[in-house]
Amino acid sequence: MKPARLQTPSAAKRGGPVPGIATTTLGNGLRVLTDPMAEVESVSLGVWVEAGARYEQAAESGISHLLEHMAFKGTARRSARDIAEEIEAVGGQMNAYTARENTAYYVKVLKDDVPLALDILGDILRNSAMDADELARERDVVLQEIGQARDTPDDIVFDHFQETAFPGQPLGRPVLGDEAVVGSVERASLVGYMARHYGAQRMVLAAAGKIEHERLVELAGAALGDVARGSPAQPEAGRYAGGEFRAERKLEQAHIVLGFEGVAIHDPDFYALQLLSMALGGGMSSRLFQEVREKRGLVYSIHSFVASFEDCGLFGIYAGTDPKRLKELMPVLCEETAKAGDALTDEEIARARAQLRAGLLMGLERTELRAEQLAQQMLIYGRPIPIAETLQVLEAVDRAAIARVAARLMGSRPTLAALGPLGRLEPFDAIEARFK
């Protein structure tokens, strides 16, 4: 299963149709969107549900992810093997992922096989058997997945970072969930969670490729038209705290994530933060890569990232280094981060803008990315966003906006997560003082 992909938003709801893209809302509230691509022979389609890890109570931690697994384990009409064989018999691909704010179930098939793909999607979302024996096996599979994540330090350190930034909150809990909860989830809990959160008005069916909108609407009505409308999503608000997590582990490298309170998806500074992150640590030409790795040789891997949610966000920097270099690394990392808002050159900003622009445009060449973009935009903004609008807002970000959002970052308490041999990592208060 793959992580969710962050979608770039529009700074303002400007309205108006997007050429080529059609939207229909069924009677039960399900939104159906199509993005036709005449030059391809395939279709990517899926159902995105506004339900993820941040919608869980503490006693449900991991249930969204477990439910995603169980959806493929058989229905009243199909066994788990039937589902796999029917899709692969037509050369199709089917998968799913769970994120903090949504869960996705998606398929890629040739154009003539769309009816089969949508029938299977509707079947797993409406008629999952939740068989007790399958559930017992899948609990064990997910527990192994959690164990594997814990054995992967450059993966699990991000969970510790998220939990430290948002302690004691749904937004801070790992998507994979709590082992004790996952190990004891019963069928009734899964069925109840699905009934509460998988309402039609919290679902988006999106398709991109060689597809006819009216035909998809017809198929959607048959496959998903009787899904209950459900109630709107109301997750607990995220409350950034910051602070430190560090754990000594016998590893070859020390894994560090250092970050700050970021911005929400709807925030006017969203694009400014994207540009700042790209210029600071978004590629091989970025300031951190050049200064920390190429010039000083202090790390093997370093990059920055933005994680924006409906009501809050995070900005962070990951570095993997030889434990002997920690003492030298942290002052350089902190200095470059603290000064970036004012020190970035016009050339660096232009290069970061070009990278973001190219990434957006190149994504339009793939049916699966276009379908996902449509669904995410509908969930977040309630409308498709024209690519021209996105590029216009990106182009409008100036040096003042970048300096402003950098000052916002530096105004928050840092968050630090560190795993490995950490004897040479300076105390958190010393790191915190470098940003005052």
Side-chain angles (χ1 to χ4, degrees):
M1 314 307 177
K2 75 182 183 73
R5 183 176 295 101
L6 182 66
Q7 299 301 311
T8 54
S10 169
K13 292 188 175 181
R14 300 176 186 176
V18 179
I21 293 175
T23 304
T24 297
T25 301
L26 301 187
N28 62 353
L30 175 74
R31 290 156 288 178
V32 182
L33 296 93
T34 54
D35 185 357
M37 301 169 66
E39 68 276 15
V40 301
E41 293 299 319
S42 63
V43 178
S44 291
L45 69 156
V47 176
W48 279 257
V49 186
E50 195 174 9
R54 75 172 302 185
Y55 294 89
E56 300 167 348
Q57 301 299 315
E60 299 174 323
S61 179
I63 198 168
S64 299
H65 178 244
L66 180 58
L67 178 59
E68 171 224 311
H69 276 242
M70 286 301 299
F72 294 91
K73 297 305 172 182
T75 71
R77 295 165 48 199
R78 295 176 169 97
S79 67
R81 182 167 182 168
D82 290 338
I83 293 170
E85 288 183 347
E86 286 187 42
I87 281 292
E88 294 186 358
V90 298
Q93 303 162 10
M94 190 172 191
N95 213 328
Y97 66 79
T98 305
R100 287 190 161 85
E101 295 192 310
N102 55 65
T103 304
Y105 304 84
Y106 55 96
V107 189
K108 185 170 185 176
V109 291
L110 295 176
K111 64 180 187 299
D112 292 337
D113 299 314
V114 167
L116 171 66
L118 191 50
D119 183 66
I120 292 177
L121 282 173
D123 198 19
I124 67 175
L125 290 171
R126 291 168 53 240
N127 306 312
S128 284
M130 304 292 178
D131 178 78
D133 291 338
E134 290 284 1
L135 176 57
R137 282 190 290 270
E138 210 57 30
R139 281 197 303 254
D140 286 342
V141 169
V142 174
L143 289 173
Q144 291 180 56
E145 189 177 356
I146 293 172
Q148 184 179 56
R150 289 185 174 170
D151 285 344
T152 311
D154 55 347
D155 184 0
I156 200 68
V157 70
F158 289 94
D159 278 348
H160 292 307
F161 176 73
Q162 183 89 14
E163 187 174 11
T164 304
F166 297 103
Q169 306 165 53
L171 195 57
R173 292 195 283 267
V175 171
L176 296 183
D178 178 87
E179 284 178 298
V181 172
V182 171
S184 61
V185 168
E186 297 295 339
R187 181 182 188 278
S189 297
L190 286 172
V191 172
Y193 182 87
M194 195 170 193
R196 291 193 304 275
H197 294 284
Y198 275 54
Q201 67 175 341
R202 291 171 64 174
M203 292 182 177
V204 171
L205 168 62
K210 187 153 283 189
I211 188 75
E212 295 178 1
H213 182 74
E214 294 305 322
R215 177 58 173 152
L216 185 67
V217 170
E218 178 185 347
L219 294 169
L224 296 163
D226 62 352
V227 173
R229 187 175 184 85
S231 58
Q234 294 181 329
E236 180 181 324
R239 302 176 305 280
Y240 178 87
E244 176 191 36
F245 171 91
R246 64 172 73 195
E248 282 283 337
R249 288 180 60 176
K250 190 175 181 180
L251 301 169
E252 291 297 319
Q253 281 207 317
H255 300 271
I256 307 293
V257 181
L258 174 67
F260 304 88
E261 182 175 12
V263 302
I265 287 179
H266 298 279
D267 195 287
D269 280 335
F270 177 89
Y271 281 104
L273 184 54
Q274 293 286 333
L275 273 169
L276 174 64
S277 179
M278 182 62 74
L280 181 61
M284 293 176 63
S285 66
S286 67
R287 181 166 285 227
L288 285 175
F289 193 93
Q290 287 296 314
E291 182 67 26
V292 178
R293 173 174 161 150
E294 298 297 276
K295 181 178 177 180
R296 300 173 185 262
L298 296 177
V299 299
Y300 170 71
S301 177
I302 188 165
H303 69 269
S304 60
F305 61 92
V306 175
S308 289
F309 308 103
E310 180 71 23
D311 56 347
C312 55
L314 284 171
F315 168 79
I317 299 162
Y318 165 81
T321 186
D322 185 324
K324 297 176 182 178
R325 311 307 295 273
L326 275 172
K327 186 175 181 180
E328 187 180 355
L329 168 65
M330 292 311 294
V332 177
L333 178 58
C334 294
E335 179 185 359
E336 291 297 328
T337 303
K339 73 181 184 181
D342 296 318
L344 291 176
T345 66
D346 290 339
E347 181 182 8
E348 287 174 303
I349 294 172
R351 187 164 55 241
R353 197 190 316 274
Q355 288 175 279
L356 289 173
R357 182 177 185 275
L360 288 168
L361 293 174
M362 289 178 185
L364 297 179
E365 299 174 358
R366 297 174 58 186
T367 58
E368 59 270 33
L369 295 187
R370 287 174 76 142
E372 182 175 32
Q373 176 176 280
L374 267 185
Q376 295 284 3
Q377 289 174 347
M378 203 68 181
L379 287 174
I380 295 167
Y381 306 106
R383 70 180 180 99
I385 308 293
I387 187 64
E389 182 181 322
T390 300
L391 296 175
Q392 181 181 3
V393 177
L394 179 62
E395 191 64 32
V397 176
D398 57 17
R399 177 179 293 280
I402 293 173
R404 180 179 65 243
V405 77
R408 289 178 63 179
L409 297 179
M410 297 303 106
S412 66
R413 188 187 189 200
T415 297
L416 175 71
L419 291 175
L422 305 176
R424 301 194 182 193
L425 179 62
E426 60 192 21
F428 179 69
D429 57 359
I431 295 171
E432 190 173 16
R434 296 184 183 279
F435 297 100
K436 292 181 179 179

